[in-house]
Amino acid sequence: MFSRLHSDIQCILDRDPAARSKWEVLTCYPGLHAILLHRMSHGLWLRDMRWLARWISQFSRWLTGIEIHPGARIGENVFIDHGMGIVIGETAEVGDGCTIYQGVTLGGTSLTKGAKRHPTLGRNVVVGAGAKVLGGFTVGDNAAIGSNAVVTKPVPDGATAVGIPARIIQAEDQSRREEAAAKMGFSAYGITNSDDPLSQAMKGLIDNASSHEHQIALLWQAIEHLSSQRRGDECVPADAQTKESFEAEKLTQLVGK
């Protein structure tokens, strides 16, 4: 029991830069208190002491502002940051190493008793403040749920879900766009939110510009090949733009920091 408590405290110290000491975490972090009380209520729930389990859950809700049904399954090293307004339903499952911020709902969309109505979070999932994850599906390992997102369908491993309703952004798509943007000296994602309309427009422009850049490179290769075969006249027009003019700093100012 004490080793598990030590692990719970240490995971908070590792993930929260505001945490200064173990004593502060033990006495002042409602997320830790909610998890400790939930373990007690969950144990009673599994032993069919349902009323007492629900009473402890209600007491925890009154004390911490975090409502966890005693039937929910919470893994190891789960960090509930701030926690006010969090609701975790009866059939929800939270994997090891998850981080959940304030205002999150792990809710159900079915009224069928005994059914899997609430979501399952894999390992190391991060759920942003105010997000609503609704339904009996799975959020994959190492996935991220953006703040205020409304998720109603499964999220693959390592993906990010943002928006209302949530759209799935694959990790490889995100990194591919960042790599293309870096080559041009400009990144839309360091200054705008991934779900912002302006950011979405920039994603399309970056994808398009990356494709055009490749085609232009092929054209220049063809022109150079023709130039090497022809002697005398130059194939390249005098007004051809042979230098890049991508004004990253100007775009940054227009988009805003």
Side-chain angles (χ1 to χ4, degrees), residues 53-63 67-68:
R54 287 301 303 267
W55 187 90
I56 293 175
S57 174
Q58 280 296 109
F59 174 75
S60 175
R61 179 177 180 268
W62 171 80
L63 181 68
E67 182 175 339
I68 307 177

Side-chain angles (χ1 to χ4, degrees), residues 22-228:
K22 293 181 180 179
W23 179 248
E24 179 183 1
V25 171
L26 181 62
T27 56
C28 300
Y29 272 65
L32 177 63
H33 303 155
I35 288 176
L36 294 177
L37 288 169
H38 171 71
R39 286 179 184 154
M40 185 185 304
S41 66
H42 184 64
L44 294 170
W45 184 266
L46 295 178
R47 291 169 176 77
D48 289 329
M49 303 175 68
R50 301 297 172 89
W51 180 88
L52 184 57
R54 287 301 303 267
W55 187 90
I56 293 175
S57 174
Q58 280 296 109
F59 174 75
S60 175
R61 179 177 180 268
W62 171 80
L63 181 68
T64 65
I66 300 168
E67 182 175 339
I68 307 177
H69 192 283
R73 298 178 181 272
I74 308 295
E76 302 288 337
N77 298 325
V78 173
F79 176 31
I80 297 177
D81 195 8
H82 299 291
M84 181 63 71
I86 286 178
V87 177
I88 300 178
E90 177 185 4
T91 62
E93 300 178 40
V94 179
D96 297 343
C98 289
T99 302
I100 302 175
Y101 290 89
Q102 67 272 14
V104 167
T105 299
L106 303 183
T109 56
S110 170
L111 299 178
T112 305
K113 290 186 178 181
K116 171 64 173 167
R117 308 188 309 277
H118 304 89
T120 295
L121 306 186
R123 298 170 60 90
N124 303 315
V125 174
V126 178
V127 186
K132 314 301 177 187
V133 188
L134 309 174
F137 53 84
T138 298
V139 177
D141 296 346
N142 303 303
I145 308 297
S147 296
N148 296 315
V150 178
V151 184
T152 57
K153 58 185 179 181
V155 180
D157 293 353
T160 300
V162 293
I164 305 174
R167 296 182 294 279
I168 307 300
I169 302 173
Q170 296 287 355
E172 55 268 21
D173 294 341
Q174 192 92 340
S175 60
R176 176 177 56 79
R177 288 192 179 101
E178 285 289 354
E179 183 179 355
K183 290 180 180 178
M184 294 184 286
F186 173 75
S187 175
Y189 314 115
I191 55 176
T192 58
N193 185 278
S194 295
D195 193 44
D196 186 81
L198 183 59
S199 178
Q200 296 294 328
M202 291 304 303
K203 287 181 183 180
L205 288 174
I206 288 171
D207 288 343
N208 200 24
S210 178
S211 174
H212 288 175
E213 185 178 9
H214 177 65
Q215 295 299 322
I216 291 171
L218 294 177
L219 288 173
W220 280 120
Q221 291 174 12
I223 291 173
E224 289 176 356
H225 180 69
L226 290 173
S227 297
S228 65

